[in-house]
Amino acid sequence: MTDPPVPREDLDLRLVRSFAAVAEHRHFGRAAVALHLTQSSLSRQINRLEEQVGARLLDRTPQGSRLTGAGEVFLPLARALLRSAAQASARARAAAEPSRITIGYITNIIITPAVRELRRKHPDADVRTHHLLWHEAGEALRDHRVDAVVTRLPFATGRLHVTVLYDEPRVLLVPYDHRLAGRESVTLDDVADEPMPRVADPAWNAFWRIDPRPDGSSAPGGPVVDSVEDKIELIAAGQAVAIVPLGSGTIGPRPDLALIPLEGVEPSHVVLATRAGDRSRLVTAFRKHAEALLTGPGGAHPVGPAGRP
């Protein structure tokens, strides 16, 4: 007669979240930084999760980390579990705290005027803001991490209500000593052979790399990046150029970068997105204030060395 199976512990969502971060970054060090943990603490968390699951989920490699076969199976289920937990908590809070709203935004977009007005008109409300990475807008709304988000297209808009707030010209970002720096304007023909950074999102690549080009040709290749900061460093080092919204001049004083007007391309669209069918009073009020007050990049953004007057 065999012994009955030993019951395993319930999964700790904190450990599941740490696993998902390592799986996303493919590197314990980068995941630890994102989670504000030490690498040793993160390693202990992953070991603990593997004990709870009863299988090895990650292998360390000289290049970082990789998912095991069990990890490949567990990852989409872990993400679904985290989404469900976030939605359950958010919906419970919404029912208990009808006067609370969380507004998401991405780097280089200013939402302060609309947030300030919302707080002024609704002093009883708990109005919070939450910075998101450039690719998180749709997911953060669907996961109920935020109730509204101001971001830039393109992103997946299924099950969302999207309103264009304003347009921003797209410009070329180059290192200060680039052959085109100082030009009054450029066209796509001027950068036909220049490498441009790429990301994992095909829609982003199509819009921000203008790929394919108007003549049907493919945009030249370029380094793969995960963050705005990595992209900026590559450009400053002379490894690539990039098409960016004019509002990117708010990245701060960078005397080693220059912005050049780019002719013949449609502008970038800054939008307000909310969950479709969300008619809460605070979401409705924020939409009204955003449409009235968020009408363009905050302040003037000069063309020339990025962020300099």
Side-chain angles (χ1 to χ4, degrees), residues 49-70:
L49 177 65
E50 290 174 333
E51 290 177 2
Q52 293 182 0
V53 173
R56 188 169 182 81
L57 303 174
L58 289 160
D59 284 330
R60 289 183 182 269
T61 71
Q63 292 75 35
S65 65
R66 66 186 176 194
L67 293 169
T68 64

Side-chain angles (χ1 to χ4, degrees), residues 153-182:
L153 291 175
F155 63 94
T157 58
R159 295 184 288 145
L160 302 179
H161 180 278
V162 178
T163 302
V164 175
L165 297 176
Y166 60 88
D167 291 341
E168 288 179 302
R170 284 189 283 176
V171 297
L172 187 70
L173 183 65
V174 300
Y176 79 102
D177 56 354
H178 191 273
R179 61 184 176 83
L180 297 174

Side-chain angles (χ1 to χ4, degrees), residues 8-12 52:
R8 300 192 184 279
E9 300 176 55
D10 291 337
L11 291 181
D12 184 332
Q52 293 182 0

Side-chain angles (χ1 to χ4, degrees), residues 8-291:
R8 300 192 184 279
E9 300 176 55
D10 291 337
L11 291 181
D12 184 332
L13 289 180
R14 180 174 58 97
L15 306 184
V16 175
R17 189 172 292 106
S18 294
F19 163 76
V22 177
E24 177 183 351
H25 290 278
R26 303 284 173 160
H27 193 280
F28 271 78
R30 289 194 291 269
V33 171
L35 294 168
H36 304 289
L37 297 172
T38 64
Q39 287 193 50
S40 60
S41 177
L42 179 58
S43 293
R44 287 193 297 271
Q45 289 191 7
I46 298 302
N47 290 338
R48 184 63 174 161
L49 177 65
E50 290 174 333
E51 290 177 2
Q52 293 182 0
V53 173
R56 188 169 182 81
L57 303 174
L58 289 160
D59 284 330
R60 289 183 182 269
T61 71
Q63 292 75 35
S65 65
R66 66 186 176 194
L67 293 169
T68 64
E72 294 281 2
V73 171
F74 185 67
L75 179 59
L77 300 173
R79 286 172 171 163
L81 179 62
L82 293 171
R83 284 196 298 270
S84 295
Q87 290 172 5
S89 297
R91 290 178 182 179
R93 287 195 304 269
E97 303 172 7
S99 291
R100 176 175 172 177
I101 183 174
T102 301
I103 301 161
Y105 65 99
I106 64 171
T107 300
N108 297 331
I109 286 184
I110 296 173
I111 62 172
T112 309
V115 172
R116 180 183 294 151
E117 186 66 6
L118 182 65
R119 287 175 174 149
R120 189 180 72 83
K121 292 290 185 64
H122 298 271
D124 61 316
D126 180 4
V127 179
R128 305 184 181 190
T129 58
H130 181 64
H131 178 263
L132 297 169
L133 299 179
W134 62 269
H135 61 280
E136 290 186 305
E139 180 183 350
L141 279 167
R142 284 183 280 268
D143 290 352
H144 289 253
R145 281 183 281 150
V146 298
D147 304 297
V149 64
V150 182
T151 185
R152 292 185 179 93
L153 291 175
F155 63 94
T157 58
R159 295 184 288 145
L160 302 179
H161 180 278
V162 178
T163 302
V164 175
L165 297 176
Y166 60 88
D167 291 341
E168 288 179 302
R170 284 189 283 176
V171 297
L172 187 70
L173 183 65
V174 300
Y176 79 102
D177 56 354
H178 191 273
R179 61 184 176 83
L180 297 174
R183 290 269 296 268
E184 291 187 2
S185 65
V186 294
T187 67
L188 284 177
D189 290 339
D190 293 316
V191 292
D193 299 320
E194 295 275 0
M196 293 186 176
R198 295 174 292 137
V199 299
D201 185 341
W204 188 98
N205 288 330
F207 186 78
W208 290 106
R209 286 166 42 82
I210 310 185
D211 189 12
R213 297 293 163 83
D215 63 3
S217 63
S218 298
V224 177
V225 298
D226 294 321
S227 69
V228 173
E229 292 77 12
D230 287 341
K231 179 175 73 172
I232 296 302
E233 287 303 318
L234 280 169
I235 296 167
Q239 301 300 303
V241 302
I243 297 171
V244 300
L246 182 56
S248 289
T250 62
I251 58 176
R254 290 291 304 242
D256 51 354
L257 297 173
L259 294 170
I260 311 169
L262 182 60
E263 296 181 353
V265 299
E266 67 172 301
S268 163
H269 309 292
V270 174
V271 301
L272 167 66
T274 59
R275 287 182 291 276
D278 189 339
R279 297 179 179 85
S280 75
R281 70 182 183 104
L282 291 179
V283 168
T284 299
F286 181 72
R287 182 180 294 114
K288 173 184 174 182
H289 299 321
E291 291 176 352

